[in-house]
Each structure stands twice: as structure tokens, then as C-alpha cells.
Amino acid sequence: MLSLRDLKGSKPAWPDYMAECTRRARNPDLRHFFEQGQLDPETPINKVPMMALDLETTGMDVARHGIVSIGMLPFTLERIHTGQSWYRIVRPRQMLREESVVVHQITHSEVARAPDLADLLPELLSRMAGYLPVVHYHPIERRFLDESVRVRLGEGLMCPMIDTMVLESRWCRHSLRARMRKWFGQQPLSIRLHESRARYNLPFYRGHHALTDALATAELFQAQIAQRFAPDKPVGDIWV
């Protein structure tokens, strides 16, 4: 099977990977997800159905931490479908840390009543099928989704994503403002979600709620395309 190493810098690699995963997947929900995810990399961004996705986790280490909430909503460059949003608290298999409670405001009692991700996977995969995930800092969503699905189904979940942090980083590296800050020895521009949104005059949202952050990511991507990129740019040029 293709590895992530095979995917770097190659437009056709993701479709090949998704096609191979479709052939090999044993779980029918996972097979359907891969089958619906075989997007032509030459497809213009404005023709791509997208799903803003955010995972809140108990920490950053996929080997020691777990998913505690999931938020997502479908959108296009013209519209965010808030009426189709989906938010779930998840009971992680690892102990909920006190630091997580402070950050995410998700309590021990809420987690105790929440389902395991295994119970949510059929609906999660069904809702994601046919959409390209859009995230802010893809290593979190990619690693935690893959590991969490692998633990429960015995096979992983990897797919192409658009990362608004990567896009903002590209712009910041080449912008005049960023070069001037470097010349004067100032700190580089932040590419965190809320600081990135502020550059487009988008409203402030309180962070670390999965659905709010998914909405914030969708709005940021719409603004990035409107101001920095062409809407007919091939999606294969910007996915990761």
C-alpha cells in the first residue's frame, strides 16, 4: 500500500492511495469513505465539496492522548451550511487530564456519558464521505483520526486535506509585511487560527470548541481564497 512518503509533492498520489484503500478496506463504512474520496487533483477549488473539521484532544501525543470532541460542517466558497453541522463529545480511552478540562471546558461527567468513537464511526464516516476535509494544522486531525480508527477497526484512515495553517504560512513567508518584520528582527507573524483570522478582519471566536473552531476554519479558508488565491486553482495544488 502507498505510504505518506509516496504522497509528498505528487498530485496523482492521493487519488491512487484512495483507490487502493477502497480495494483493500474490509470495513464497509471505511470502504465507502475511500470510494467517495477519489477527487481529481485538477478539480477547481470552487467545484470541491468541503467539510470543515476540528478535533479537540486530551493532548498532542497520539500515543498517549485521545479525541475528546469532534466538530464539522460542510461548506463551499460561497456558503457555510451551519444547519448541517455535527458536534459530538467522545469518551477517550485515556484518562481525561485536568489540563484538558480547563482548555476545552469538557467535564469528567460529560465524558463519562459520551460514547466511544467506535459507536460514532458509522455516522462520522458517512458524513465525511464525498467531502474534502479542511482543517487548521492537519497533523492533529490526520494523526488522531488515523490512529483512533486503526485502534477500533484494525485499519486506518488517511485522506487528503486542505490546511489553512499551511496556506497562511505560504503567504506569510512571501508577504512584504513578513519580510519587513524579519529585517527589523521582530517575531514572525503568527499563523495560529485566531491570529490568522484577524488578518482578514474576521470576528473573534473563543477557541477550543470543536464546532466553533471548524466554523472559524471554514470562514478563514473562504477569506484566504477570496484574497490570496484564485477560486479556480486546482485543488491538487493546495491539498496536503
Side-chain angles (χ1 to χ4, degrees):
M1 183 175 287
L2 294 174
S3 68
L4 281 180
R5 187 177 296 108
D6 300 318
L7 302 174
K8 296 188 181 302
S10 176
K11 280 188 183 181
W14 271 122
D16 292 346
Y17 179 86
M18 299 294 277
E20 183 175 349
C21 287
T22 300
R23 292 191 295 270
R24 292 177 177 247
R26 300 182 299 275
N27 180 276
D29 297 317
L30 201 55
R31 186 185 309 116
H32 177 69
F33 169 81
F34 287 128
E35 184 178 36
Q36 295 299 309
Q38 298 175 45
L39 182 65
D40 185 341
E42 296 300 326
T43 305
I45 299 168
N46 58 7
K47 302 296 183 184
V48 176
M50 294 172 286
M51 182 71 74
L53 170 68
D54 184 76
L55 304 180
E56 296 299 320
T57 64
T58 59
M60 301 288 285
D61 185 348
V62 71
R64 298 188 299 114
H65 303 133
I67 298 170
V68 73
S69 64
I70 304 170
M72 57 187 189
L73 70 169
F75 75 104
T76 65
L77 293 185
E78 293 79 30
R79 184 177 180 186
I80 298 174
H81 301 282
T82 55
Q84 299 175 40
S85 63
W86 192 76
Y87 173 74
R88 293 292 185 274
I89 294 175
V90 180
R91 185 175 69 251
R93 296 188 173 181
Q94 299 84 353
M95 180 75 69
L96 184 63
R97 303 182 306 153
E98 292 301 327
E99 304 95 295
S100 297
V101 176
V102 172
V103 171
H104 308 304
Q105 302 294 304
I106 296 173
T107 65
H108 292 277
S109 60
E110 288 177 302
V111 165
R113 296 191 301 268
D116 185 86
L117 183 62
D119 300 318
L120 298 174
L121 278 179
E123 185 177 6
L124 174 67
L125 293 171
S126 175
R127 286 178 174 271
M128 289 181 64
Y131 291 93
L132 179 63
V134 178
V135 303
H136 195 80
Y137 190 60
H138 73 278
I140 288 291
E141 276 72 21
R142 178 169 286 161
R143 292 170 186 167
F144 274 89
L145 268 181
D146 181 55
E147 179 63 19
S148 299
V149 172
R150 190 179 303 279
V151 165
R152 289 158 178 84
L153 299 182
E155 46 190 336
L157 190 161
M158 290 276 192
C159 65
M161 296 179 171
I162 291 175
D163 188 339
T164 52
M165 177 179 276
V166 170
L167 296 181
E168 199 65 13
S169 175
R170 289 182 189 176
W171 174 80
C172 285
R173 284 199 305 268
H174 299 103
S175 70
L176 176 60
R177 182 181 175 189
R179 292 198 297 268
M180 290 183 66
R181 291 177 69 92
K182 184 176 180 180
W183 291 336
F184 287 103
Q186 298 175 335
Q187 290 293 320
L189 294 170
S190 172
I191 54 175
R192 294 171 65 90
L193 179 57
H194 301 296
E195 287 82 354
S196 297
R197 285 173 55 84
R199 280 190 284 275
Y200 301 88
N201 296 314
L202 293 169
F204 172 80
Y205 297 150
R206 180 172 177 173
H208 298 297
H209 184 284
L211 187 55
T212 302
D213 282 354
L215 174 61
T217 299
E219 291 177 345
L220 174 59
F221 183 66
Q222 288 178 329
Q224 288 174 322
I225 296 301
Q227 297 188 34
R228 316 283 191 211
F229 300 90
D232 59 352
K233 189 176 184 66
V235 69
D237 287 351
I238 64 171
W239 68 20
V240 291

